[in-house]
Short mmCIF file of all heavy atoms in Angstrom, two decimals:
data_model
loop_
_atom_site.label_atom_id
_atom_site.label_comp_id
_atom_site.label_asym_id
_atom_site.label_seq_id
_atom_site.Cartn_x
_atom_site.Cartn_y
_atom_site.Cartn_z
N SER G 64 58.14 73.16 116.45
CA SER G 64 59.00 72.39 117.35
C SER G 64 59.45 73.30 118.48
O SER G 64 59.37 74.53 118.39
CB SER G 64 60.22 71.83 116.60
OG SER G 64 61.05 72.89 116.14
N LEU G 65 59.96 72.66 119.54
CA LEU G 65 60.47 73.45 120.66
C LEU G 65 61.75 74.20 120.26
O LEU G 65 62.03 75.29 120.79
CB LEU G 65 60.74 72.55 121.86
CG LEU G 65 59.48 71.96 122.53
CD1 LEU G 65 59.86 71.08 123.71
CD2 LEU G 65 58.53 73.08 122.99
N ALA G 66 62.51 73.64 119.31
CA ALA G 66 63.69 74.35 118.80
C ALA G 66 63.27 75.64 118.10
O ALA G 66 63.94 76.69 118.24
CB ALA G 66 64.47 73.46 117.86
N ALA G 68 60.53 77.30 118.77
CA ALA G 68 60.08 78.19 119.84
C ALA G 68 61.25 78.86 120.53
O ALA G 68 61.20 80.05 120.87
CB ALA G 68 59.24 77.40 120.85
N GLN G 69 62.33 78.12 120.74
CA GLN G 69 63.51 78.71 121.37
C GLN G 69 64.11 79.81 120.51
O GLN G 69 64.58 80.84 121.02
CB GLN G 69 64.54 77.61 121.64
CG GLN G 69 64.16 76.67 122.78
CD GLN G 69 65.14 75.52 122.93
OE1 GLN G 69 65.97 75.26 122.03
NE2 GLN G 69 65.07 74.81 124.05
N ALA G 72 61.93 82.88 120.75
CA ALA G 72 61.97 83.49 122.09
C ALA G 72 63.35 84.02 122.45
O ALA G 72 63.53 84.60 123.52
CB ALA G 72 61.53 82.46 123.14
N GLY G 140 55.06 89.90 119.58
CA GLY G 140 53.94 88.97 119.47
C GLY G 140 54.41 87.54 119.32
O GLY G 140 53.99 86.63 120.05
N ILE G 141 55.32 87.32 118.35
CA ILE G 141 55.82 85.98 118.12
C ILE G 141 56.63 85.49 119.31
O ILE G 141 56.56 84.31 119.69
CB ILE G 141 56.65 85.93 116.82
CG1 ILE G 141 55.73 86.16 115.62
CG2 ILE G 141 57.41 84.61 116.69
CD1 ILE G 141 56.44 86.17 114.29
N ARG G 142 57.39 86.38 119.90
CA ARG G 142 58.18 85.97 121.07
C ARG G 142 57.26 85.53 122.23
O ARG G 142 57.56 84.55 122.92
CB ARG G 142 59.07 87.12 121.53
CG ARG G 142 60.12 86.66 122.55
CD ARG G 142 60.91 87.81 123.10
NE ARG G 142 62.14 87.35 123.72
CZ ARG G 142 62.87 88.07 124.55
NH1 ARG G 142 62.49 89.29 124.88
NH2 ARG G 142 63.99 87.59 125.06
N THR G 143 56.17 86.23 122.43
CA THR G 143 55.23 85.86 123.50
C THR G 143 54.62 84.48 123.24
O THR G 143 54.50 83.66 124.15
CB THR G 143 54.13 86.91 123.61
OG1 THR G 143 54.71 88.18 123.92
CG2 THR G 143 53.13 86.54 124.70
N ILE G 144 54.26 84.23 121.97
CA ILE G 144 53.71 82.92 121.61
C ILE G 144 54.75 81.82 121.85
O ILE G 144 54.45 80.75 122.39
CB ILE G 144 53.25 82.93 120.14
CG1 ILE G 144 52.07 83.89 119.95
CG2 ILE G 144 52.86 81.51 119.70
CD1 ILE G 144 51.71 84.12 118.50
N ALA G 145 56.00 82.10 121.46
CA ALA G 145 57.07 81.10 121.62
C ALA G 145 57.35 80.84 123.10
O ALA G 145 57.57 79.69 123.51
CB ALA G 145 58.34 81.59 120.93
N GLN G 146 57.33 81.86 123.92
CA GLN G 146 57.55 81.68 125.35
C GLN G 146 56.44 80.84 125.97
O GLN G 146 56.71 80.00 126.84
CB GLN G 146 57.65 83.04 126.04
CG GLN G 146 58.95 83.78 125.73
CD GLN G 146 58.96 85.19 126.28
OE1 GLN G 146 57.90 85.80 126.50
NE2 GLN G 146 60.15 85.75 126.50
N ALA G 147 55.21 81.02 125.50
CA ALA G 147 54.10 80.19 126.00
C ALA G 147 54.29 78.74 125.59
O ALA G 147 54.03 77.81 126.37
CB ALA G 147 52.78 80.73 125.47
N ALA G 148 54.77 78.52 124.36
CA ALA G 148 55.00 77.15 123.89
C ALA G 148 56.10 76.47 124.71
O ALA G 148 56.01 75.29 125.05
CB ALA G 148 55.38 77.17 122.41
N LEU G 149 57.14 77.23 125.03
CA LEU G 149 58.22 76.67 125.85
C LEU G 149 57.74 76.41 127.28
O LEU G 149 58.11 75.39 127.88
CB LEU G 149 59.42 77.63 125.86
CG LEU G 149 60.19 77.78 124.54
CD1 LEU G 149 61.24 78.88 124.66
CD2 LEU G 149 60.85 76.45 124.16
N ARG G 150 56.97 77.30 127.79
CA ARG G 150 56.49 77.14 129.16
C ARG G 150 55.58 75.93 129.30
O ARG G 150 55.66 75.17 130.27
CB ARG G 150 55.74 78.41 129.59
CG ARG G 150 55.28 78.41 131.04
CD ARG G 150 54.75 79.76 131.45
NE ARG G 150 53.66 80.22 130.58
CZ ARG G 150 53.77 81.22 129.71
NH1 ARG G 150 54.92 81.87 129.58
NH2 ARG G 150 52.74 81.57 128.96
N ASP G 151 54.73 75.69 128.29
CA ASP G 151 53.80 74.56 128.34
C ASP G 151 54.39 73.31 127.70
O ASP G 151 53.77 72.24 127.77
CB ASP G 151 52.49 74.92 127.64
CG ASP G 151 51.75 76.06 128.32
OD1 ASP G 151 52.10 76.36 129.49
OD2 ASP G 151 50.85 76.64 127.71
N GLY G 152 55.55 73.45 127.06
CA GLY G 152 56.12 72.30 126.36
C GLY G 152 55.25 71.83 125.21
O GLY G 152 55.24 70.65 124.87
N ASP G 153 54.54 72.76 124.58
CA ASP G 153 53.58 72.41 123.52
C ASP G 153 53.89 73.22 122.26
O ASP G 153 53.44 74.37 122.13
CB ASP G 153 52.15 72.69 123.99
CG ASP G 153 51.11 72.25 122.98
OD1 ASP G 153 51.49 71.63 121.97
OD2 ASP G 153 49.92 72.57 123.19
N PRO G 154 54.65 72.67 121.32
CA PRO G 154 54.97 73.41 120.09
C PRO G 154 53.76 73.69 119.23
O PRO G 154 53.84 74.53 118.32
CB PRO G 154 55.97 72.49 119.37
CG PRO G 154 55.72 71.14 119.92
CD PRO G 154 55.29 71.33 121.33
N ALA G 155 52.63 73.01 119.49
CA ALA G 155 51.43 73.26 118.69
C ALA G 155 50.94 74.70 118.84
O ALA G 155 50.25 75.23 117.95
CB ALA G 155 50.32 72.29 119.10
N LEU G 156 51.33 75.35 119.91
CA LEU G 156 50.92 76.75 120.11
C LEU G 156 51.54 77.67 119.06
O LEU G 156 51.04 78.78 118.84
CB LEU G 156 51.33 77.21 121.51
CG LEU G 156 50.63 76.54 122.69
CD1 LEU G 156 51.21 77.04 124.00
CD2 LEU G 156 49.12 76.79 122.64
N LEU G 157 52.60 77.21 118.41
CA LEU G 157 53.25 78.03 117.40
C LEU G 157 52.38 78.22 116.15
O LEU G 157 52.72 79.02 115.28
CB LEU G 157 54.59 77.42 116.99
CG LEU G 157 55.66 77.38 118.09
CD1 LEU G 157 56.91 76.70 117.57
CD2 LEU G 157 56.00 78.79 118.57
N ASP G 159 49.79 79.76 116.12
CA ASP G 159 49.32 81.15 116.19
C ASP G 159 50.29 82.13 115.55
O ASP G 159 49.93 83.29 115.29
CB ASP G 159 49.08 81.55 117.65
CG ASP G 159 47.85 80.87 118.25
OD1 ASP G 159 46.98 80.46 117.45
OD2 ASP G 159 47.77 80.74 119.48
#
Side-chain angles (χ1 to χ4, degrees):
S64 65
L65 291 180
Q69 288 175 345
I141 292 178
R142 192 185 198 196
T143 300
I144 294 171
Q146 288 172 336
L149 291 173
R150 184 171 56 250
D151 297 344
D153 184 6
L156 294 176
L157 294 177
D159 288 337

